[in-house]
């Protein structure tokens, strides 16, 4: 059984053009599951499956891509403590026409990277996604992208998240240099500067002392950060008042994690995915602060016969229960039903009950989608995401379960799609 503590199901939410495709491609490149990646303008983006997407340059599908990430590392290098984290990145469409698709993806992810453009800040679609994430209690970390662009302003975006989105955005970093000269960040937890090496595409970096002219500002922001999370750890609170210098990095990370999962803060980071800066740090933050499937509440549903409330824990030993969140046609394998397995274990070749249709169907194959290949897997367990082949009749939102333990997972609230008149 996989240790669910090392699993992350997350999405990247952004207003169109903020850099979601570029960031996703960087992530897939760093996580090493892809051999060669086309730049966005080649039209070769891995998540862009449909012709229409290529034509319109937007990602409208809501699929999931799997990859792995080593964490923690020291200066980009593995240590004896390094673990392999399994990521499922669930695509959350960035165009306002596809609000309904965003709604569906929110249901199956445990956390979000909210991506903003450092120049444009909070935009209309960021607000829409934010509201949906609030509705589903999705913890999020903020990544302010495009720090290399002229007019980039990290702290202004932090302010906008507070004022326009009503969330307590808390910087974990301060940018070093701006625009063309953007070269690193001050890490407010470690109280060190990080300077990325361009020649290795940001995978390695140097640690430096905080530049003297930034030290006072860094101290102020660090105090704000510690204050914002201190209530999540009594020890930290005490040290904050008595002896702030004795606070350890791990104590802050842990308090940031609790506060993020509790939705009381949104930790904010910055970078430039186009220039390969900061994406790895954001992936470390996904491991550190976003919840694993065992950190989120057990899924609730109802007994389809009696209407009685039922709960399924994220445990492979519980009865199988899953939600189909995206049906798509793949040129190679045909119709694929992406599903999140909330509990239990599903073997390829076995039968599941579709509660809505009342039919038992055989799953001939289960696939995991990687950036450059689709791998058949023998089974999928609680907390994971897969794509099933073999359904004769399936719709988005269907519950799939063990026929001896039927359950209807909470119905999603899906608003009418917004019709664009443009
Ligand atoms: P999406 O619509 O959110 O998926 O955005 P894309 O990833 O397609 O990026 C939109 C445009 O912004 C493309 O031309 C990218 O090359 C560019 N872009 C993305 N990230 C950055 C960045 O960090 N810096 C700069 N300067 N440009 C970026």
């Amino acid at each position: 059984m996989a240790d669910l503590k090392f699993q992350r199901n997350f999405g990247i939410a952004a207003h169109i053009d903020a850099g979601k495709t570029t960031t996703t491609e960087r992530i897939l490149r760093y996580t090493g599951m892809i051999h060669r990646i086309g730049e966005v303008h080649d039209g070769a983006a891995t998540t862009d499956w449909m012709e229409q997407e290529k034509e319109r340059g937007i990602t409208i599908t809501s699929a999931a891509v799997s990859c792995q990430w080593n964490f923690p590392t020291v200066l980009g290098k593995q240590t004896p403590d390094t673990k392999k984290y399994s990521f499922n990145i669930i695509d959350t469409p960035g165009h306002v026409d596809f609000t309904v698709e965003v709604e569906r993806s929110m249901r199956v992810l445990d956390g979000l990277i909210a991506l903003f453009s450092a120049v444009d800040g909070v935009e209309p679609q960021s607000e829409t996604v934010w509201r949906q994430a609030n509705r589903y209690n999705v913890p999020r970390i903020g990544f302010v992208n495009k720090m290399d662009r002229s007019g980039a302003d990290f702290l202004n975006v932090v302010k906008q998240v507070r004022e326009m989105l009503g969330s307590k955005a808390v910087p974990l970093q301060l940018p070093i240099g701006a625009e063309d000269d953007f070269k690193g960040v001050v890490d407010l937890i470690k109280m060190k500067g990080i300077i990325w090496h361009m020649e290795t595409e940001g995978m390695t970096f140097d640690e430096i002392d905080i530049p003297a002219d930034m030290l006072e500002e860094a101290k102020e922001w660090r105090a704000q950060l510690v204050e914002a999370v201190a209530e999540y750890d009594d020890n930290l609170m005490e040290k904050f008042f008595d002896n702030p210098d004795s606070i350890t990095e791990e104590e802050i990370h842990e308090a940031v994690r609790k506060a993020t999962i509790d939705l009381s803060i949104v930790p904010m980071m910055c970078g430039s995915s186009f220039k390969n800066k900061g994406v790895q740090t954001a992936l470390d933050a996904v491991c550190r602060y976003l919840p694993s499937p065992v950190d989120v509440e057990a899924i609730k549903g109802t007994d389809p016969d009696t209407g009685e409330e039922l709960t399924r824990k994220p445990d492979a030993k519980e009865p199988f229960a899953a939600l189909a969140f995206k049906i798509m046609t793949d040129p190679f394998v045909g119709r694929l039903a992406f599903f999140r397995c909330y509990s239990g274990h599903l073997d390829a070749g076995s039968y599941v009950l579709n509660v809505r249709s009342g039919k038992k169907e055989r799953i001939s194959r289960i696939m995991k989608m990687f950036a450059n290949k689709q791998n058949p897997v023998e089974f999928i367990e609680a907390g994971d995401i897969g794509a099933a082949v073999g359904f004769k009749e399936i719709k988005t939102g269907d519950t799939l379960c063990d026929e001896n333990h039927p359950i209807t997972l909470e119905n999603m609230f899906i608003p009418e799609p917004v019709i664009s008149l443009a």
Side-chain angles (χ1 to χ4, degrees):
M1 240 188 316
D3 190 340
L4 290 178
K5 279 203 310 264
F6 304 115
Q7 171 92 37
R8 294 290 180 276
N9 299 313
F10 68 96
I12 303 172
H15 187 88
I16 181 107
D17 224 36
K20 189 178 76 173
T21 313
T22 312
T23 306
T24 308
E25 289 200 345
R26 295 302 179 211
I27 293 175
L28 296 176
R29 183 201 292 236
Y30 292 138
T31 55
M33 287 296 183
I34 190 158
H35 302 304
R36 190 205 148 270
I37 266 179
E39 295 296 338
V40 176
H41 49 77
D42 292 343
T46 338
T47 43
D48 283 8
W49 283 29
M50 294 166 65
E51 278 314 309
Q52 189 194 2
E53 292 174 63
K54 284 183 192 160
E55 278 168 28
R56 297 172 68 178
I58 50 172
T59 305
I60 58 168
T61 53
S62 183
V65 187
S66 305
C67 57
Q68 290 192 317
W69 182 244
N70 291 321
F71 175 80
T73 54
V74 173
L75 292 179
K77 301 220 163 42
Q78 293 191 38
T79 73
D81 292 333
T82 304
K83 298 271 186 311
K84 256 193 195 342
Y85 280 68
S86 293
F87 289 168
N88 289 310
I89 308 174
I90 295 116
D91 193 22
T92 54
H95 192 274
V96 82
D97 280 358
F98 306 106
T99 305
V100 59
E101 299 263 338
V102 181
E103 197 88 19
R104 280 188 185 127
S105 57
M106 285 301 157
R107 184 70 171 74
V108 296
L109 46 78
D110 300 321
L112 269 183
I113 298 181
L115 190 84
F116 300 95
S117 151
V119 184
D120 303 306
V122 171
E123 294 177 90
Q125 183 64 0
S126 339
E127 297 196 52
T128 311
V129 177
W130 208 264
R131 277 199 303 276
Q132 286 161 331
N134 285 344
R135 181 137 38 121
Y136 287 101
N137 295 326
V138 177
R140 61 216 88 147
I141 51 183
F143 184 77
V144 177
N145 190 34
K146 300 198 180 185
M147 286 301 296
D148 60 305
R149 286 265 314 272
S150 105
D153 188 341
F154 173 59
L155 290 176
N156 186 45
V157 182
V158 171
K159 188 162 159 250
Q160 287 185 353
V161 172
R162 290 180 179 188
E163 288 172 2
M164 296 166 72
L165 302 176
S167 292
K168 193 165 178 184
V170 179
L172 301 186
Q173 307 172 331
L174 294 177
I176 301 178
E179 304 176 4
D180 271 351
D181 193 35
F182 171 63
K183 50 181 171 291
V185 289
V186 170
D187 178 334
L188 295 170
I189 297 182
K190 207 164 197 183
M191 286 303 266
K192 283 278 176 195
I194 291 172
I195 305 291
W196 295 293
H197 292 297
M198 269 316 287
E199 63 276 16
T200 55
E201 300 191 317
M203 285 302 276
T204 56
F205 42 87
D206 284 331
E207 237 172 51
I208 57 162
D209 286 335
I210 297 175
D213 60 339
M214 292 183 74
L215 195 55
E216 276 316 304
E217 195 192 2
K219 281 184 182 160
E220 273 165 37
W221 282 105
R222 178 192 163 89
Q224 278 199 31
L225 162 65
V226 175
E227 193 181 359
V229 299
E231 61 174 297
Y232 286 87
D233 181 337
D234 291 343
N235 235 344
L236 190 59
M237 183 79 96
E238 222 166 87
K239 286 183 177 178
F240 179 66
F241 288 113
D242 297 344
N243 185 8
D245 291 339
S246 69
I247 296 174
T248 67
E249 283 173 45
E250 272 321 305
E251 279 172 324
I252 308 181
H253 285 311
E254 190 49 28
V256 170
R257 191 182 95 87
K258 286 182 185 155
T260 304
I261 293 179
D262 203 29
L263 303 180
S264 75
I265 64 156
V266 176
M268 301 287 293
M269 320 179 69
C270 64
S272 158
S273 45
F274 189 69
K275 295 271 175 84
N276 298 306
K277 291 175 177 174
V279 179
Q280 316 82 2
T281 326
L283 293 180
D284 286 351
V286 166
C287 300
R288 267 196 180 111
Y289 311 128
L290 289 183
S292 79
V294 279
D295 293 322
V296 293
E297 268 182 45
I299 185 110
K300 287 194 173 59
T302 50
D303 184 315
D305 299 324
T306 65
E308 182 197 344
E309 191 181 279
L310 299 172
T311 304
R312 293 277 186 271
K313 292 197 211 85
D315 183 340
K317 294 195 196 83
E318 289 258 308
F320 174 71
L323 186 84
F325 64 94
K326 178 76 190 178
I327 317 295
M328 59 199 303
T329 305
D330 175 80
F332 301 105
V333 288
R335 194 147 61 142
L336 279 171
F338 282 85
F339 65 97
R340 161 132 188 191
C341 177
Y342 285 96
S343 62
H345 172 112
L346 177 71
D347 284 315
S350 62
Y351 285 83
V352 296
L353 174 69
N354 180 335
V355 180
R356 180 189 51 81
S357 68
K359 291 196 180 113
K360 263 172 69 179
E361 293 215 43
R362 184 170 179 272
I363 312 288
S364 58
R365 276 191 291 164
I366 305 170
M367 315 292 289
K368 289 275 287 185
M369 316 310 260
F370 294 96
N372 60 337
K373 59 180 189 270
Q374 305 163 334
N375 274 5
V377 291
E378 283 168 20
F379 60 86
I380 286 272
E381 285 185 331
D384 205 355
I385 283 172
V389 186
F391 276 103
K392 293 200 180 66
E393 193 215 322
I394 184 153
K395 282 195 201 160
T396 309
D398 280 355
T399 302
L400 311 170
C401 60
D402 175 350
E403 64 168 322
N404 298 317
H405 298 90
I407 184 169
T408 305
L409 297 177
E410 262 171 16
N411 282 326
M412 281 186 277
F413 169 71
I414 308 258
E416 289 300 307
V418 178
I419 308 297
S420 164
L421 300 174

